[in-house]
Amino acid sequence: MARLNRAISDQPGGGSPRGSNDIRFSFPSGEFAVRTALATVLCGLRHLALSQEEYGTIELVLAEVLNNVVEHAYGPNETGRIEIIFVNAADHLKFSIIDEGVEMPSGETPMGKCADIDVPLEDMPEGGFGWFLIRDLTKDLTYRRVGSSNILSFRINIATQD
Amino acid sequence: MDLTSTQFDKVQVVTVNAARIDAAVAIRFKDIMRGMTEFGPERIVLDLSQVEFVDSSGLGAIVASMKQLGSSSKLDLAGLTPTVDKVFRLTRMDTIFAIHDSADAAVAEYTH
């Protein structure tokens, strides 16, 4: 995984007036581990002084991505490491999430259509919101399978500060 | 997952005493809701004012909590914090539930 990380961080991330440093950390897969990871990322972004809404968006997108890794890439009977890398530029944050679980079905991210809610009560969807939220709240979503790793990268725009 | 149920004249308020309804607690939330609301009145209000974060699993669990009431009761929501409100708006689930500013406002509306 180390070589992969270098490849990702070598990509142009853009200079940042807010003092850009790419931050990376990894943790073992697990539902409660996702909570800790989210708290750690948000803590690591605190110095950017983003709006409450921006922090909310980041937490929501990361929660959906990480839950998908825990539930689908690794699944209930597998654990493995999940790595989060983020780089901040002037007007966006770029995230890469890396895991070594199973490949996305058909090698691409789900379409993430908005669930149909014009249905009777008993047919109301209880799931399928995750990819819709991820696609709705991110830009430049890309998925790559490299060796035995899944790499999901995306950008979240933030308001520029003077 | 700490939930409190308070019975009013025609309304039951279920208060979520937790900051998150996420994948880690979604199933437990749904199960506790089933137990608490099974014999509830016609109107049940879920007070989310302490909940700062709901992910898609939590959203699904809230929808499931509504569905498991069947046609005997209706589930309303109250006190949505900004990020929670955003999840409901983006998924259009805000159109499925009656949403009140606060549990107090909901109780006042239904008991008068």
Side-chain angles (χ1 to χ4, degrees):
Chain A
M1 205 181 257
R3 195 161 47 85
L4 272 178
N5 294 346
R6 215 168 305 124
I8 289 164
S9 58
D10 284 346
Q11 291 175 1
S16 171
R18 293 184 196 178
S20 166
N21 274 310
D22 62 326
I23 299 173
R24 60 183 59 198
F25 81 107
S26 73
F27 62 101
S29 163
E31 279 177 344
F32 283 97
V34 168
R35 280 191 179 186
T36 313
L38 291 173
T40 306
V41 172
L42 291 176
C43 190
L45 295 174
R46 198 178 291 159
H47 69 285
L48 297 177
L50 306 178
S51 71
Q52 212 51 49
E53 179 169 8
E54 288 168 332
Y55 282 119
T57 298
I58 293 164
E59 182 168 16
L60 184 56
V61 168
L62 284 179
E64 299 303 336
V65 170
L66 297 177
N67 286 337
N68 283 336
V69 172
V70 171
E71 290 167 23
H72 302 295
Y74 287 121
N77 304 316
E78 288 283 337
T79 55
R81 298 200 72 76
I82 304 176
E83 182 152 23
I84 304 174
I85 301 171
F86 52 96
V87 182
N88 70 281
D91 61 350
H92 69 269
L93 299 170
K94 183 163 190 281
F95 290 88
S96 293
I97 315 296
I98 306 168
D99 67 77
E100 294 181 318
V102 298
E103 189 174 358
M104 292 263 184
S106 69
E108 54 189 57
T109 53
M111 281 302 291
K113 288 195 193 116
C114 191
D116 185 10
I117 59 170
D118 298 320
V119 294
L121 175 75
E122 61 268 24
D123 298 329
M124 203 59 75
E126 293 173 31
F129 307 114
W131 278 107
F132 169 74
L133 289 170
I134 294 167
R135 286 189 179 278
D136 198 60
L137 295 170
T138 65
K139 301 263 183 271
D140 299 343
L141 183 74
T142 60
Y143 168 73
R144 284 182 293 152
R145 177 79 178 177
V146 180
S148 59
S149 296
N150 296 308
I151 306 172
L152 188 75
S153 300
F154 52 85
R155 191 160 59 85
I156 294 178
N157 287 341
I158 55 176
T160 46
Q161 291 180 340
D162 296 324
Chain B
M1 189 93 249
D2 176 6
L3 277 68
T4 312
S5 170
T6 313
Q7 196 72 48
F8 293 88
D9 195 10
K10 297 167 189 153
V11 189
Q12 178 189 11
V13 174
V14 177
T15 306
V16 183
N17 303 304
R20 311 174 73 84
I21 307 176
D22 60 14
V25 296
I27 292 171
R28 179 136 180 75
F29 169 81
K30 180 177 143 182
D31 290 345
I32 298 174
M33 280 295 284
R34 178 186 287 122
M36 275 189 166
T37 60
E38 198 171 3
F39 304 107
E42 205 172 299
R43 195 62 70 159
I44 297 167
V45 177
L46 184 63
D47 180 358
L48 295 170
S49 58
Q50 295 173 67
V51 179
E52 291 159 13
F53 184 77
V54 168
D55 64 11
S56 66
S57 302
L59 175 67
I62 294 170
V63 174
S65 301
M66 171 192 70
K67 286 167 68 175
Q68 66 196 8
L69 295 173
S71 54
S72 60
S73 303
K74 204 170 172 316
L75 185 69
D76 289 6
L77 308 178
L80 272 57
T81 58
T83 305
V84 175
D85 180 62
K86 183 171 182 165
V87 173
F88 276 87
R89 271 188 293 111
L90 290 173
T91 57
R92 290 175 55 225
M93 278 295 164
D94 60 333
T95 63
I96 301 303
F97 294 90
I99 299 177
H100 307 269
D101 287 345
S102 67
D104 286 349
V107 170
E109 184 180 329
Y110 291 126
T111 53
H112 287 112

